[in-house]
Amino acid sequence: MTLEELKKRVKVLQDIEEIKKMHRDYIFWLSEQNWDDMTECFAENAIIKIGVHGAQDDNDEAKGKKEINRIFKDVIGKRALEVKPKGGHILLQPVITVEGDRAKGHWDMNRFVYNPDAHGGPAPEMGPGRYDCEYIREGGKWKISNLKWIHPFPKPPGSSEGKS
Amino acid sequence: MELEELEKNVKTLEDINEIENMHREFIFWLNNKQWDEMSDCFAEKAVTEMDIQGGLNGEEKNAKIFIEDFARDDRSNIRQLVTQPVINVEGDRAKGYWILYSFFLIPTPPQEAQAHEIVKWVQGRYDCEYVREDGNWKFSYLKCTSPWPKSEWPDNVPEPNFWI
């Protein structure tokens, strides 16, 4: 094997680690509702589909970094202040593949909250979910170009994906 | 560093990444009840050992038979998460261990399946051996210990029952 081939393989491994770090930072910012830093993780023309929390309709997608920032600030952020269950997010189990300046990945992403109004009294709750993402290298940095959050994941029999 | 040694190091890093990916996919499939895909993660003569309080007593079993039994004994209310992998590779064999969290959940009305009450959770551990078979990494041995670490409870404290 040549040095050039080895450099390429090392680059892939480095890219995987950079993507993981970027997406983990994204979740740190999401948990603290730091919308401006969080939206810097998105590519200029990124698309998000995060069901009932994000777009106006389950079938809508939010497109473009500016629109994504608006959705998080004006829709998701406002709702987060209004609802009683509060908590954080945990991002685990990345499976990332890189091809040049593009990559794909999926993760387990769960919300852990304390719900003071739970049906049977105050209780810890878990919102199980999954991220399916595409990434792109933009300006030398890895960004999210497409993010889909499936919640709940797995879907229980008879339930609709993403509907409340 | 010689080119040959560098190539060996890169191959080891790639192998660790592939093993982690395979094990994470295994957990995605377990949570989503995709038993065939789970079964494909095991080498032909793989063995499992489940040391799970209240349920399984540490007996070794053929992995494919274990998956069939597990699929029949549907435990829809369990979700597993794995993290903190420590993987060591030697040629076409590897060993590794992970932290495991098992969550026992019930859907929380009225938003069935959007949020789940965490009825119980328990920390466990996976100890595994892996083998490269036809170019793909597979489990040759998988041991699940839960709870882990095992605790000695004082006589006046009833031992927790982690199994539902």
Side-chain angles (χ1 to χ4, degrees):
Chain A
M1 178 162 297
T2 66
L3 192 59
E4 276 312 305
E5 283 165 339
L6 267 179
K7 278 183 184 173
K8 264 188 184 168
R9 285 165 66 174
V10 168
K11 189 83 186 85
V12 167
L13 292 168
Q14 287 172 330
D15 285 337
I16 290 171
E17 291 310 309
E18 278 177 43
I19 289 169
K20 285 181 191 173
K21 274 190 207 166
M22 179 275 291
H23 205 138
R24 286 167 180 149
D25 271 337
Y26 173 87
I27 294 297
F28 275 112
W29 285 320
L30 171 67
S31 289
E32 67 177 4
Q33 297 175 29
N34 181 341
W35 310 123
D36 289 336
D37 282 337
M38 202 191 84
T39 50
E40 285 305 307
C41 294
F42 288 103
E44 282 306 316
N45 298 317
I47 297 172
I48 63 169
K49 186 172 179 183
I50 47 180
V52 69
H53 287 301
Q56 299 300 312
D57 181 275
D58 283 346
N59 294 318
D60 279 354
E61 295 171 332
K63 295 182 184 175
K65 201 160 136 180
K66 275 188 185 162
E67 177 61 7
I68 291 170
N69 185 269
R70 189 196 69 78
I71 287 278
F72 275 104
K73 271 186 176 157
D74 296 343
V75 178
I76 298 169
K78 279 207 171 122
R79 183 174 163 153
L81 293 173
E82 289 160 7
V83 297
K84 282 195 183 168
K86 305 273 185 224
H89 307 78
I90 184 167
L91 183 72
L92 293 170
Q93 295 172 205
V95 180
I96 315 273
T97 52
V98 173
E99 290 274 355
D101 289 338
R102 292 194 172 266
K104 290 188 177 184
H106 54 271
W107 304 70
D108 204 283
M109 212 288 275
N110 301 277
R111 285 214 68 208
F112 285 91
V113 296
Y114 181 74
N115 185 0
D117 290 340
H119 184 72
E125 289 179 349
M126 175 190 198
R130 171 180 161 130
Y131 273 138
D132 281 274
C133 299
E134 292 173 19
Y135 306 93
I136 188 170
R137 199 192 323 258
E138 200 172 78
K141 293 189 173 177
W142 282 101
K143 307 265 180 175
I144 302 167
S145 58
N146 195 313
L147 183 145
K148 181 178 175 186
W149 186 46
I150 303 165
H151 167 62
F153 181 86
K155 278 194 316 184
S159 70
S160 298
E161 182 178 336
K163 292 210 185 297
S164 61
Chain B
M1 185 179 283
E2 300 285 343
L3 196 60
E4 206 177 296
E5 198 179 335
L6 192 57
E7 187 179 343
K8 232 174 145 184
N9 289 349
V10 169
K11 187 81 186 85
T12 299
L13 290 170
E14 287 170 342
D15 284 338
I16 291 172
N17 194 46
E18 281 174 39
I19 289 168
E20 288 182 2
N21 281 353
M22 183 277 290
H23 199 137
R24 288 170 182 140
E25 293 281 31
F26 176 80
I27 297 297
F28 276 117
W29 288 322
L30 183 154
N31 287 334
N32 208 32
K33 301 182 190 347
Q34 291 177 247
W35 313 121
D36 290 341
E37 286 85 347
M38 269 179 78
S39 187
D40 285 343
C41 291
F42 289 99
E44 275 311 308
K45 296 184 179 169
V47 165
T48 60
E49 185 180 338
M50 299 289 137
D51 183 6
I52 298 178
Q53 189 259 9
L56 303 160
N57 61 3
E59 189 183 294
E60 280 196 4
K61 198 184 251 198
N62 173 275
K64 308 281 183 182
I65 292 175
F66 168 75
I67 296 289
E68 285 169 9
D69 291 347
F70 193 78
R72 263 197 303 274
D73 183 26
D74 178 34
R75 293 195 176 259
S76 308
N77 59 341
I78 296 175
R79 182 171 178 77
Q80 284 201 1
L81 301 176
V82 290
T83 187
Q84 290 173 215
V86 178
I87 314 281
N88 290 298
V89 175
E90 289 279 351
D92 289 338
R93 294 202 167 262
K95 290 188 179 184
Y97 48 93
W98 302 65
I99 280 286
L100 157 69
Y101 284 92
S102 298
F103 293 89
F104 305 95
L105 310 171
I106 53 171
T108 308
Q111 292 184 309
E112 293 272 343
Q114 286 291 309
H116 295 66
E117 183 174 335
I118 301 171
V119 178
K120 295 183 185 182
W121 65 269
V122 61
Q123 178 174 290
R125 174 176 163 137
Y126 274 123
D127 285 87
C128 302
E129 292 174 19
Y130 309 90
V131 65
R132 199 196 319 261
E133 202 170 77
D134 297 326
N136 293 314
W137 283 100
K138 308 244 180 182
F139 294 109
S140 55
Y141 170 77
L142 183 146
K143 177 177 179 179
C144 180
T145 307
S146 183
W148 184 89
K150 294 191 185 288
S151 306
E152 293 292 330
W153 298 90
D155 288 341
N156 62 343
V157 175
E159 192 171 334
N161 177 13
F162 292 109
W163 198 246
I164 290 183

